[in-house]
Amino acid sequence: MFQEPDRDCDLCPRLRGFLLELRETLPDYFNAPVPSFGDPAPELLIVGLAPGMHGANRTGRPFTGDWAGDLLYSALDKYGFSKGTYAASPDDGLELTGAMITNAVRCLPPQNKPVGAEAAACRPFLTDQIASLKSLKAIMTLGKISHDNTIRSLGLRLKDYPFGHHKIYEIQGDRRIYSSYHCSRYNTNTKRLTEKMFFDVFADIRNYISG
Ligand code: URA
């Protein structure tokens, strides 16, 4: 099994300081590295950017309680990767089936923007995770930061695997990366990412995994 950063991980001084402040001002929030969620033997790993302030950083479960999660969890349901009903809370009883969700950076960054050194410091967790998930067939990267981090965590070169919406790359034998625009409120409000565009990537992933 792979390691998650522990609650008091101090690899990133800026993020650690931010979380310590939030433990004072928002004591009911999770305010710690958010652990991965889902099937312990997934075929699909979804890599988000980082916890959102009032979503994952509040609830302690990736994408839970914010806008991006509404779209992501509805896609997981539609394409057969979950059991139960998503109700935006870690005690909603939702289970993922064949999928796991994690983040490239596991602590909440100020303004939702991790700096390069933070992404690099968090990367070994993703490297170990991918290496230890033997059942994995597909990795879905949400947004460029997540994509680039995932490519780097695999020891691959960014110029050989450039980010783009609905790009598909073969890596490590028959494992594949599917990249998507991030399902953020901004991207969906501006129609950079429509529900159909997002679901189309999921449809391909489902065909590949089940095919
Ligand atoms: N919540 C997460 O956990 N990750 C994201 O990338 C966005 C929201």
Side-chain angles (χ1 to χ4, degrees):
M1 198 48 183
F2 59 94
Q3 285 287 307
E4 297 278 4
D6 61 55
R7 184 165 169 85
D8 290 309
C9 179
D10 59 3
L11 291 175
C12 303
R14 186 182 74 122
L15 302 188
R16 167 98 179 124
F18 190 41
L19 289 179
L20 287 178
E21 276 171 32
L22 289 171
R23 286 181 194 177
E24 301 288 320
T25 54
L26 294 169
D28 296 339
Y29 278 30
F30 188 71
N31 296 327
V34 174
S36 310
F37 166 60
D39 192 328
E43 292 166 304
L44 169 63
L45 178 67
I46 297 168
V47 185
L49 165 57
M53 170 75 97
H54 305 295
N57 182 63
R58 174 174 60 85
T59 62
R61 196 175 75 179
F63 286 89
T64 297
D66 61 21
W67 176 280
D70 288 353
L71 183 54
L72 178 59
Y73 283 107
S74 86
L76 287 164
D77 175 46
K78 184 173 164 73
Y79 290 95
F81 289 108
S82 65
K83 212 166 65 189
T85 304
Y86 171 71
S89 161
D91 53 19
D92 56 13
L94 186 78
E95 283 175 41
L96 300 191
T97 49
M100 180 183 279
I101 311 176
T102 195
N103 281 304
V105 174
R106 299 178 192 219
C107 290
L108 168 73
Q111 272 87 48
N112 267 347
K113 287 196 181 67
V115 300
E118 292 159 353
C122 214
R123 200 171 295 140
F125 295 105
L126 187 58
T127 304
D128 284 358
Q129 183 168 12
I130 293 171
S132 80
L133 297 176
K134 303 293 178 210
S135 50
L136 212 57
K137 294 184 178 165
I139 301 173
M140 183 183 201
T141 58
L142 299 181
K144 183 170 178 350
I145 295 180
S146 152
H147 180 80
D148 289 359
N149 260 289
T150 303
I151 295 298
R152 286 199 164 112
S153 78
L154 293 163
L156 303 172
R157 294 189 311 185
L158 296 185
K159 75 173 178 53
D160 297 329
Y161 302 86
F163 173 71
H165 180 71
H166 211 149
K167 286 216 181 272
I168 303 170
Y169 296 111
E170 300 269 342
I171 50 151
Q172 300 178 333
D174 57 1
R175 276 189 179 173
R176 287 186 176 179
I177 290 202
Y178 291 79
S179 57
S180 169
Y181 289 144
H182 194 285
C183 49
S184 63
R185 183 196 294 261
Y186 180 80
N187 280 346
T188 51
N189 278 351
T190 57
K191 303 269 191 296
R192 182 178 174 84
L193 180 72
T194 62
E195 186 182 81
K196 178 175 185 316
M197 287 165 69
F198 196 54
F199 285 180
D200 284 351
V201 182
F202 266 95
D204 277 3
I205 292 172
R206 173 45 80 199
N207 284 338
Y208 181 61
I209 285 177
S210 303

